[in-house]
Amino acid sequence: MQYTVFVDESGETGVAKIRNGTSPGASPYFVLGAAVFQPASEIIARKRISEFKTKIGKTKWKHATDLGHSEKVLLARTLGSLPVRYFAVISNKATLKEYKDTINFDSQRFYNKCLKYLLEKVLSYLSDTDYNPNQLRVVLEERNHDYDAMLRYFEKVKKNPLYLQSQVFSGFNPFCITKLKKGQDEAMEVADFVSHAVYQLANKTIANFEIPETRYFTELSSRFAGDHSCNVLGTGIKCIHTLEQLQLDPDVAALLAVTKCKAPTGMTRRRTA
């Protein structure tokens, strides 16, 4: 079966100087989100997004941040009804410590590492379906990035997986990774909102009175991937490297710990999720 994985991000990849209070810098958290489609679910998603745009009277936006709160809630509810699976990786950069020195504060290497974590979760999940590695397509939002270095990195991971979880790359073709500019495909807007919804679980700013927003994630949560007990944490959501290290507000951490998924009709696993 053919699968397409759309990937987008929220937050900045910079790790050298992190924003803190009034001190400028990159975002304290970084999130990569993914939406995994089969051909039929892509068609459904584009139709639902088109209907959403008509309903709110906006035909284009570059990022989820261009939408108002009520519009985001409606979009979250819309995307929460799609026959797809969502995944996300979330990193609290304050916990990177020695790793930042190891990568020489290279934001591109940090992005590649987060993408590896995300694809490990996606590929592990798909390995329990009728997934055919030769029919997999991974679509990234185009960014200022050395994609050749990225492909070499995934070739290295494939040939020499250092960790057990990386063995899922054995049948992975790094050249299935492509890129699209924002706005080129409405399906990318789904991944954009997935990353935004997860990012808002950690985002605390003066503008939001340092109160994280959980509603968007809650509306989407049933469509995140889950283990065979339907637990999302550790399968559809990967924390780098533990939930505790994310240092989320207690109510947000508790929400992630108990979130359960529901198996969408458009993606059948050999064993029920």
Side-chain angles (χ1 to χ4, degrees):
M1 177 62 71
Q2 179 180 343
Y3 290 95
T4 303
V5 184
F6 287 89
V7 178
D8 209 340
E9 66 198 70
S10 286
E12 295 91 37
T13 55
V15 295
K17 187 175 182 181
I18 309 302
R19 186 165 61 245
N20 183 10
T22 58
S23 176
S27 59
Y29 288 86
F30 179 70
V31 172
L32 276 180
V36 182
F37 296 91
Q38 291 177 326
S41 60
E42 278 193 61
I43 295 172
I44 294 170
R46 292 189 179 96
K47 182 175 183 293
R48 298 275 178 84
I49 292 173
S50 179
E51 292 170 347
F52 165 78
K53 290 178 177 179
T54 299
K55 190 168 187 175
I56 67 171
K58 293 180 180 178
T59 58
K60 292 183 180 180
W61 65 83
K62 288 187 176 181
H63 302 280
T65 50
D66 297 332
L67 300 174
H69 172 69
S70 296
E71 293 169 332
K72 290 180 189 179
V73 172
L74 176 61
L75 180 57
R77 183 163 294 185
T78 300
L79 302 186
S81 67
L82 295 179
V84 301
R85 278 304 197 194
Y86 301 134
F87 295 81
V89 166
I90 179 169
S91 171
N92 175 5
K93 296 174 189 174
T95 66
L96 296 178
K97 298 181 180 177
E98 294 84 4
Y99 174 71
K100 292 191 289 186
D101 294 317
T102 300
I103 64 172
N104 197 27
F105 298 91
D106 187 337
S107 61
Q108 297 208 19
R109 291 177 67 183
F110 172 62
Y111 177 93
N112 292 345
K113 186 78 166 183
C114 290
L115 181 60
K116 180 180 89 72
Y117 286 141
L118 182 69
L119 292 180
E120 281 174 348
K121 292 301 181 184
V122 172
L123 295 176
S124 177
Y125 187 85
L126 291 182
S127 68
D128 203 19
T129 70
D130 51 2
Y131 152 70
N132 181 345
N134 296 321
Q135 293 183 306
L136 179 69
R137 180 175 172 236
V138 178
V139 185
L140 310 179
E141 181 197 359
E142 187 172 356
R143 60 199 306 277
N144 184 18
H145 198 78
D146 187 342
Y147 290 96
D148 288 338
M150 173 191 288
L151 295 179
R152 291 194 299 271
Y153 170 70
F154 280 108
E155 283 285 5
K156 183 178 179 180
V157 171
K158 177 180 177 178
K159 292 178 180 178
N160 184 30
L162 298 178
Y163 306 99
L164 180 63
Q165 62 268 26
S166 298
Q167 292 179 6
V168 293
F169 287 103
S170 62
F172 179 74
N173 178 8
F175 290 95
C176 78
I177 300 176
T178 60
K179 58 187 183 295
L180 289 175
K181 293 181 180 179
K182 184 75 76 176
Q184 280 190 268
D185 193 320
E186 287 183 324
M188 182 62 79
E189 294 170 11
V190 180
D192 171 74
F193 193 78
V194 170
S195 67
H196 179 76
V198 175
Y199 184 79
Q200 294 309 311
L201 296 176
N203 188 32
K204 297 170 70 173
T205 66
I206 295 174
N208 67 11
F209 303 100
E210 297 194 343
I211 303 174
E213 177 58 66
T214 61
R215 179 70 181 276
Y216 314 141
F217 172 76
T218 300
E219 294 285 352
L220 294 175
S221 61
S222 68
R223 296 307 187 191
F224 273 82
D227 62 19
H228 294 287
S229 296
C230 294
N231 299 304
V232 166
L233 191 62
T235 299
I237 299 283
K238 177 178 176 61
C239 306
I240 301 177
H241 286 280
T242 66
L243 179 60
E244 291 72 23
Q245 284 183 314
L246 292 185
Q247 299 174 1
L248 301 173
D249 282 5
D251 61 319
V252 178
L255 170 64
L256 284 176
V258 301
T259 296
K260 298 279 188 177
C261 73
K262 184 170 101 175
T265 57
M267 186 174 291
T268 304
R269 303 185 77 185
R270 294 193 186 102
R271 300 191 299 274
T272 303

